[in-house]
Amino acid sequence: AKAGMPAGSFAYVLGVVYVRCTDDGNPNSGHVIDYRQQTISNDIAVRMNGKAHLIFDSLDITKHGAAYNTDLTGTVDVIIRNCTISWGDARSIVIGCDIANTEDLHISDVTIQNVVGHDDLDVTFWLGWGTRCNVIDCETYNSGLDCAPRAKNYPITGAGLHFPTGIMVSKTSLDTVVRGCYVHDIYGGPAIMSEYSLTLRNTGTIIEGNLVDNRNSAA
């Protein structure tokens, strides 16, 4: 950085880009970006909130608490396709509950297709408490890259924890399909997970034809 630059700024001088980080990290070694560090409750880009027959196509959402959330009151027949989500500091796509993790069993027929999610601190695709909510031909990578012990050390345990995962089928999801997805470089958590949590178990889940490659994140 050049003298006098405020934290979090950059400057272009005579063909050189100078960056002043917001902490003492090295911007050349995994210090990729500053997250919003907002809670999922006040930083949702798209809250469906019981609406039906929706299509979200070719949207690019970045630096969010949650990119998409079905919320309560029965969201039905939704397609999210050809979209990009990135740099989220909480679950990025949250299907089947509201922001307080309150269940809604009346959410159904949500298709997430050809969506790319990357560099999230937490779960990119989370599906719980819903029927026929599917992730098809999607890609997710670099979840948890900036969590401890790398880079800026956002915690994966303790207060403000993150649980990096590519795709998670959770709670009492019914007849969920995860197919044809490419999940790679997930740091600190599973690539694809069918969760048995607090006596709640999803049923009828099909996970098939996916490519998982975590070689670069094994350490």
Side-chain angles (χ1 to χ4, degrees), residues 30-72:
H31 196 124
V32 187
I33 199 167
D34 285 317
Y35 297 83
R36 284 182 67 91
Q37 285 296 282
Q38 300 291 317
T39 62
I40 191 173
S41 60
N42 64 3
D43 196 20
I44 297 172
V46 177
R47 179 180 290 177
M48 300 170 208
N49 197 23
K51 304 301 189 295
H53 316 302
L54 302 174
I55 297 177
F56 301 96
D57 195 326
S58 303
L59 300 179
D60 185 358
I61 298 175
T62 188
K63 299 185 73 172
H64 52 81
Y68 298 89
N69 177 229
T70 49
D71 212 358
L72 292 181

Side-chain angles (χ1 to χ4, degrees), residues 47-49 69-73 75 94 96-99 104 107:
R47 179 180 290 177
M48 300 170 208
N49 197 23
N69 177 229
T70 49
D71 212 358
L72 292 181
T73 67
T75 302
V94 186
C97 69
D98 70 352
I99 55 179
D104 182 5
I107 290 172

Side-chain angles (χ1 to χ4, degrees), residues 115-120 122-125 127 135-144 164-169 178-193 207-217:
V115 172
V116 177
H118 64 87
D119 293 280
D120 299 316
D122 211 277
V123 183
T124 302
F125 302 100
L127 305 101
V135 182
I136 309 294
D137 298 330
C138 293
E139 179 182 6
T140 177
Y141 60 93
N142 282 357
S143 289
T165 305
I167 303 171
M168 180 179 290
V169 183
V178 178
R179 177 184 293 134
C181 296
Y182 180 30
V183 183
H184 57 103
D185 303 313
I186 307 299
Y187 295 79
I192 302 175
M193 181 177 181
I207 300 175
E208 64 180 11
N210 303 286
L211 175 60
V212 173
D213 184 355
N214 267 354
R215 289 173 295 179
N216 291 333
S217 59

Side-chain angles (χ1 to χ4, degrees), residues 76-118:
V76 176
D77 186 23
V78 173
I79 298 174
I80 303 170
R81 66 189 182 198
N82 307 322
C83 296
T84 301
I85 51 179
S86 58
W87 313 113
D89 75 340
R91 297 170 182 171
S92 290
I93 295 185
V94 186
I95 304 299
C97 69
D98 70 352
I99 55 179
N101 203 34
T102 304
E103 67 179 281
D104 182 5
L105 301 178
H106 305 290
I107 290 172
S108 67
D109 299 289
V110 177
T111 298
I112 306 162
Q113 188 164 20
N114 196 33
V115 172
V116 177
H118 64 87

